[in-house]
Amino acid sequence: MAQARTDFSKVAAPKRLETMYAQRGELFPYLLAVLVLLTLVSVFHVWSRVRVIDLNLEIAEANRLMRAAQEEQNRLKLEVASLKTPARIEAVAKGDLGMALPTDQQVVVVK
């Protein structure tokens, strides 16, 4: 039995609860700092993802508006081309404005 006591006396004695609680108290500020840091990183990550989604929606809307403006421009170019045709100009001049082609006596040739 004496031999057993000497063998077990070399084993570390269990720590008391008070010392364990004291060590926990020393680690609390570090754990709190880590938790705050993780929270800040998480909030920043979520904010950045939301911002990316918002910007993608804005880009899609801008692209839609650009396509609509290009379609309007093409339509207006076609309308201008149709309004510039000589046959239409002559029809408007004769019909709406009461104009007629000049006769030979009305034409003066300048040299």
Side-chain angles (χ1 to χ4, degrees), residues 14-24:
K15 294 183 179 179
R16 295 190 174 248
L17 291 177
E18 294 86 20
T19 57
M20 288 175 52
Y21 289 139
Q23 288 176 350
R24 281 188 189 173

Side-chain angles (χ1 to χ4, degrees), residues 7 19 23 35 39 46 63 65 82-85 89 94 97 107 109-110:
D7 289 340
T19 57
Q23 288 176 350
L35 287 175
T39 302
V46 169
N63 284 337
L65 291 174
S82 68
L83 293 175
K84 284 177 138 180
T85 59
I89 293 173
K94 286 182 180 178
L97 301 175
V107 176
V109 179
V110 180

Side-chain angles (χ1 to χ4, degrees), residues 33-89:
V34 168
L35 287 175
V36 168
L37 184 63
L38 285 174
T39 302
L40 289 175
V41 168
S42 299
V43 168
F44 176 75
H45 176 72
V46 169
W47 173 80
S48 66
R49 296 306 303 162
V50 168
R51 186 71 179 133
V52 165
I53 291 170
D54 287 344
L55 289 175
N56 282 336
L57 290 174
E58 287 180 25
I59 289 170
E61 179 66 18
N63 284 337
R64 187 189 65 77
L65 291 174
M66 185 179 68
R67 279 192 303 275
Q70 285 174 343
E71 288 173 6
E72 179 74 10
Q73 181 184 19
N74 291 338
R75 187 187 62 76
L76 291 173
K77 282 182 180 180
L78 183 62
E79 186 178 343
V80 165
S82 68
L83 293 175
K84 284 177 138 180
T85 59
R88 184 192 170 280
I89 293 173

